[in-house]
Amino acid sequence: MQALKITDKVYWVGAIDWNIRDFHGYTTDEGTTYNAFLIVDEKIVLVDTVKHGFFDQMAARIKSVIGDKKIDILISNHSEMDHTGVIRETIAEFKPSKIYASMMGVKTLQEHFGLIENLEGVADGAEVNIGKETLVFMDSKMLHWPESMICLMKNENLLFSNDIFGMHYASNKHFDDEVPQEIWYKEAKKYYANIILPYSNIVKAFLAKVKAKGLAPKIICPDHGIIWRKNPQLIVDLYATFAEQKATKKALVIYDTMWGSTAKMAASITDGLSSKGIEVKEFSLRATNRSEVASEILDSAALIVGTPVLNQEMYPSLGDTLTYLKGLKKTNLLGMVFGSYGWSPMAITNLQKFVETMGVKIVKEPTTSKFVPTEEKLKECFEAGVFMAEEIGKNL
Ligand code: FEO
């Protein structure tokens, strides 16, 4: 296992997790990386570690640079287990004399791992000299944990950004100029939608703070996925766009179905939307994971949700995905619900109430069908799609 040189002083010494397909409920079809970085100056510094189970990979890469030397400083920008899961093994092997985390990071690390010797909190703006280089620490509170911080190498103008600007993407190509844009865009969008979206207002404030300080890093090293060395401004600008949550001419139709009735209704609604030039993503929630839906909701203008009635309740898969989406707090969504029922449509009314609690603006009464939708009912669904398309048009 070899380290990868980023600059004369900085190396990637992380781990590639090729086979992870479920990252705490987020589907990672392309795997992920846990990025750790080694700075070799008068002092040797390790920025972040890796997930439990990947210590050997990280340690071998570190040793490919420094041999049997110890590490002087370990920086923990973020306490979540995918970056700290091997902190005990790292301390035991490389014996850092100082471990830095944010003030809150100190507390969080101890809540995870118990007492850690040589652990010291650094304030927002604190600087640590490591030889020719100086490291500057900056709070990045709630991006995406309360204790998150970032760290800038002053002279090289290289930013270690923890989870910010990351993506779940396993590859032996580690740089933005080595990965096609359509791939990194898709993965960066999915990552933003699933991890960062609830904190979009904080992203805006963070980007404004970075701009006010005149910071424009030459290289950005996130804790997952590719390193931005060719054009780091691309990902910064993309975050500014994502944070705006601007709707496009796009609708999301999500549903589950028992005997095909709700699926037929979904198809007719999609037809109605399409007839007015709206881009539609139609997902059966039995076939599509919540994190895929989240990715598509980021630039959607409308959320249209359908369910059959099962034991007087919405279908369980709806509960899963809608609960997840509610936590992501997407703004600027119009909505309607639909579904089929046998005895009582009450669960469809309750579905609408739930969708309202997500902050979605309901603009149409539910479209419902008793058992199998007739041709007339499917026409009504088509017209509901047309109506939603017109509402989307008015709202853009
Ligand atoms: Fe990649 Fe929030 O951990």
Side-chain angles (χ1 to χ4, degrees):
M1 293 282 174
Q2 295 295 306
L4 176 74
K5 196 167 187 172
I6 301 172
T7 70
D8 284 346
K9 281 195 169 65
V10 181
Y11 297 81
W12 174 82
V13 290
I16 306 178
D17 192 348
W18 294 99
N19 295 306
I20 187 169
R21 292 293 176 268
D22 182 336
F23 186 95
H24 62 45
Y26 169 148
T27 51
T28 45
D29 297 338
E30 299 288 343
T32 194
T33 63
Y34 312 111
N35 295 339
F37 302 96
L38 192 72
I39 309 170
V40 181
D41 200 331
E42 284 168 29
K43 293 207 164 109
I44 297 172
V45 181
L46 178 64
V47 181
D48 292 325
T49 70
V50 296
K51 187 180 155 185
H52 177 71
F54 291 87
F55 176 75
D56 289 350
Q57 202 181 134
M58 180 190 75
R61 294 191 204 280
I62 293 171
K63 287 178 182 181
S64 77
V65 181
I66 61 169
D68 291 331
K69 286 184 193 160
K70 73 179 191 71
I71 286 168
D72 297 294
I73 298 171
L74 170 60
I75 294 169
S76 174
N77 278 326
H78 177 31
S79 307
E80 196 164 5
M81 294 284 208
D82 49 335
H83 310 296
T84 56
V86 300
I87 199 164
R88 284 278 181 216
E89 289 151 278
T90 305
I91 293 166
E93 179 77 23
F94 294 103
K95 302 181 173 44
S97 48
K98 277 271 182 256
I99 301 165
Y100 292 124
S102 69
M103 294 300 186
M104 194 177 281
V106 168
K107 203 166 166 268
T108 312
L109 281 174
Q110 287 174 340
E111 284 164 348
H112 276 74
F113 302 103
L115 193 64
I116 297 174
E117 279 184 27
N118 305 322
L119 177 59
E120 193 174 311
V122 283
D124 184 39
E127 297 191 358
V128 170
N129 184 269
I130 58 167
K132 292 196 171 50
E133 265 295 350
T134 300
L135 303 177
V136 188
F137 301 101
M138 285 171 274
D139 280 348
S140 55
K141 207 175 169 59
M142 292 320 298
L143 293 177
H144 67 118
W145 273 24
E147 41 56 78
S148 299
M149 71 172 188
I150 57 176
C151 171
L152 180 77
M153 265 177 86
K154 230 175 175 178
N155 297 335
E156 294 215 357
N157 196 15
L158 183 153
L159 181 68
F160 300 104
S161 63
N162 86 63
D163 277 343
I164 309 167
F165 307 131
M167 68 187 67
H168 289 308
Y169 179 64
S171 174
N172 59 351
K173 306 289 183 197
H174 292 274
F175 295 103
D176 54 345
D177 48 287
E178 298 177 321
V179 177
Q181 178 163 348
E182 62 271 22
I183 292 178
W184 66 248
Y185 178 84
K186 179 172 177 258
E187 298 303 333
K189 182 183 173 201
K190 185 172 181 185
Y191 186 93
Y192 187 96
N194 282 276
I195 308 280
I196 309 289
L197 179 56
Y199 313 108
S200 288
N201 284 337
I202 296 167
V203 169
K204 287 183 204 170
F206 171 79
L207 294 179
K209 180 177 154 185
V210 166
K211 198 171 174 187
K213 282 179 180 283
L215 297 177
K218 212 167 85 187
I219 300 175
I220 296 180
C221 296
D223 275 358
H224 299 286
I226 61 176
I227 295 157
W228 302 88
R229 70 175 175 188
K230 186 182 175 201
N231 192 352
Q233 195 59 36
L234 273 181
I235 190 69
V236 175
D237 291 345
L238 202 56
Y239 264 50
T241 305
F242 289 157
E244 288 299 326
Q245 300 190 53
K246 279 207 179 116
T248 60
K249 275 180 75 175
K250 175 174 169 183
L252 203 50
V253 178
I254 59 173
Y255 68 95
D256 206 332
T257 195
M258 281 172 75
W259 296 107
S261 294
T262 310
K264 282 182 186 167
M265 297 174 79
S268 294
I269 292 167
T270 294
D271 254 12
L273 287 157
S274 306
S275 72
K276 293 292 176 186
I278 301 290
E279 180 193 348
V280 186
K281 292 285 179 185
E282 184 192 304
F283 293 129
S284 157
L285 297 180
R286 206 90 62 84
T288 308
N289 180 272
R290 62 185 91 88
S291 56
E292 302 293 331
V293 177
S295 189
E296 295 298 339
I297 212 172
L298 184 60
D299 50 4
S300 289
L303 178 66
I304 299 170
V305 189
T307 187
V309 178
L310 177 66
N311 299 328
Q312 301 182 51
E313 298 290 349
M314 72 172 94
Y315 222 64
S317 56
L318 271 292
D320 176 313
T321 297
L322 294 180
T323 304
Y324 186 72
L325 294 181
K326 185 176 178 181
L328 295 178
K329 299 182 173 63
K330 169 76 175 82
T331 58
N332 295 333
L333 279 176
L334 305 178
M336 70 162 268
V337 305
F338 65 99
S340 64
Y341 66 97
W343 299 271
S344 162
M346 187 55 76
I348 301 166
T349 310
N350 289 341
L351 169 64
Q352 176 170 306
K353 285 181 189 156
F354 188 89
V355 171
E356 281 174 317
T357 69
M358 297 165 62
V360 175
K361 185 180 170 194
I362 295 290
V363 290
K364 191 185 174 315
E365 286 302 303
T367 303
T368 60
S369 171
K370 192 165 191 306
F371 290 118
V372 179
T374 60
E375 280 306 311
E376 196 179 330
K377 185 57 73 176
L378 291 178
K379 191 163 179 300
E380 192 185 320
C381 290
F382 180 91
E383 292 306 331
V386 169
F387 177 85
M388 289 304 295
E390 286 163 355
E391 291 296 308
I392 289 168
K394 282 186 220 163
N395 211 40
L396 287 176

